[in-house]
Amino acid sequence: MTDETTSMVGFPLTYDADAGGPAYTAQSYQMTAGAAHAIPDGSPFGGVQGVRAGSPSPLVSMDGTTATVSPHMGWLCPWSGSGAYEYAIIRPVQVSVESSTSSYKIAVVLADQAAGHGSGERVSVQSYSGSVDDRMIDGLVIATVSAGIASDTAPVISQTATVSVSSLDRLQAVSAAEGMQGMLADGSRYVRRGGAWAPVVTQPTALISSQQGTVTGIRAGDTVQLTIAWRSASGGSWGSGSFGILPVGWRPLIDVTAPYQGRDGASQRQISIKSNGTASYQNMGGAGQNTGGWTVTVCYLAG
């Protein structure tokens, strides 16, 4: 069902073509196919309301008192027990608000007369006062407007499908939404992160190697474990040294510090891993620190 006036389309067979008929013939299809495409909300037929991953950002822009909603698609589930609905805005849609200084909500709303909701059979974009509770709106609030500035609020929903291909080269050629999983023929798993495919679990990888020692890393999702095996260290009371710089993809989200405690009160050191990748140590305390080889393990969350 399309509406050329509003440039919007409803998913086929989710609306009753004959509201006066004895049976709501599309409901059985809607409550199976529609719900199957939506992310489950914990009910048998309902779905999480939200917009599809990859939708434009910002989704809503303001020009004076006119809000423009960019083309995108999403899911609506405004009524308990009525199943999930899919919608698509295929061309930009505009809706007006009363003032450029007040607060408003911009929503994609549904009217399904055959299901006993609303006074028509259409999907549309509407504006509401900012004081209206989201639960009173028959649809999805996609943005709020305050003093003429729109802010996106709709949940962004990613489908959790796994892309299976024969080799890493073929997977690298696949463009997918953030968070999607990929699997190679040998069972190796990858995740879409930062616009690229990254291993879900890596093999131990030598990240830094020098005459002084090695820094080896292994990564599982966003968690990194480093094993630092160094051949010597400064013996000064506050002596320090550099391990080197970690490559991009192995750096912590925020600066990380970890203690290294040697035996018999010696070799008390602080390990520092910076978010820019620099890795170093500093002795903490008295002179006579152990200058021999030592090993330490550090774990953290990486970007």
Side-chain angles (χ1 to χ4, degrees):
M1 183 188 73
T2 60
D3 187 327
E4 297 299 332
T5 302
T6 59
S7 301
M8 303 177 74
V9 59
F11 191 77
L13 297 182
T14 59
Y15 302 92
D16 192 351
D18 182 3
Y24 184 19
T25 57
Q27 188 175 36
S28 59
Y29 182 91
Q30 170 207 329
M31 296 185 72
T32 53
H37 297 163
I39 300 298
D41 65 354
S43 67
F45 300 106
V48 176
Q49 294 197 130
V51 300
R52 184 175 183 265
S55 297
S57 181
L59 196 60
V60 178
S61 60
M62 295 297 298
D63 183 5
T65 58
T66 300
T68 299
V69 180
S70 297
H72 70 280
M73 74 152 294
W75 293 268
L76 303 175
C77 195
W79 310 297
S80 176
S82 293
Y85 296 78
E86 295 177 310
Y87 76 90
I89 297 179
I90 57 180
R91 288 184 289 272
V93 174
Q94 294 183 332
V95 62
S96 296
V97 298
E98 294 182 358
S99 167
S100 60
T101 59
S102 299
S103 296
Y104 300 93
K105 295 179 178 180
I106 308 299
V108 178
V109 299
L110 184 67
D112 190 349
Q113 184 179 9
H117 303 291
S119 57
E121 297 173 2
R122 59 178 303 195
V123 58
S124 62
V125 172
Q126 302 289 336
S127 64
Y128 297 83
S129 168
S131 62
V132 175
D133 193 309
D134 287 10
R135 292 170 296 182
M136 302 301 295
I137 298 174
D138 291 339
L140 171 67
V141 176
I142 59 174
T144 58
V145 179
S146 179
I149 300 175
S151 300
D152 293 348
T153 59
V156 178
I157 299 175
S158 297
Q159 301 293 81
T160 56
T162 298
V163 179
S164 297
V165 293
S166 59
S167 66
L168 181 57
D169 287 345
R170 290 188 178 275
L171 184 62
Q172 299 288 13
V174 176
S175 179
E178 289 291 293
M180 285 190 66
Q181 299 275 331
M183 186 171 67
L184 307 186
D186 63 4
S188 301
R189 303 189 74 88
Y190 289 75
V191 63
R192 189 74 173 178
R193 182 189 298 114
W197 290 102
V200 173
V201 178
T202 66
Q203 298 298 315
T205 303
L207 305 176
I208 298 173
S209 181
S210 71
Q211 292 182 343
Q212 286 73 41
T214 60
V215 178
T216 303
I218 188 168
R219 179 165 181 160
D222 293 331
T223 302
V224 167
Q225 176 183 310
L226 296 184
T227 297
I228 302 169
W230 227 239
R231 296 188 177 93
S232 63
S234 169
S237 59
W238 294 99
S240 61
S242 173
F243 301 122
I245 300 178
L246 296 172
V248 174
W250 293 88
R251 300 173 181 178
L253 294 173
I254 60 174
D255 294 350
V256 172
T257 58
Y260 171 83
Q261 295 180 336
R263 55 180 297 180
D264 301 328
S267 304
Q268 296 181 355
R269 300 182 176 119
Q270 179 171 279
I271 312 302
S272 176
I273 311 293
K274 300 288 188 181
S275 59
N276 62 6
T278 59
S280 62
Y281 73 90
Q282 182 176 26
N283 293 334
M284 308 296 289
Q289 300 288 319
N290 189 339
T291 60
W294 54 293
T295 301
V296 63
T297 298
V298 181
C299 295
Y300 55 83
L301 295 177

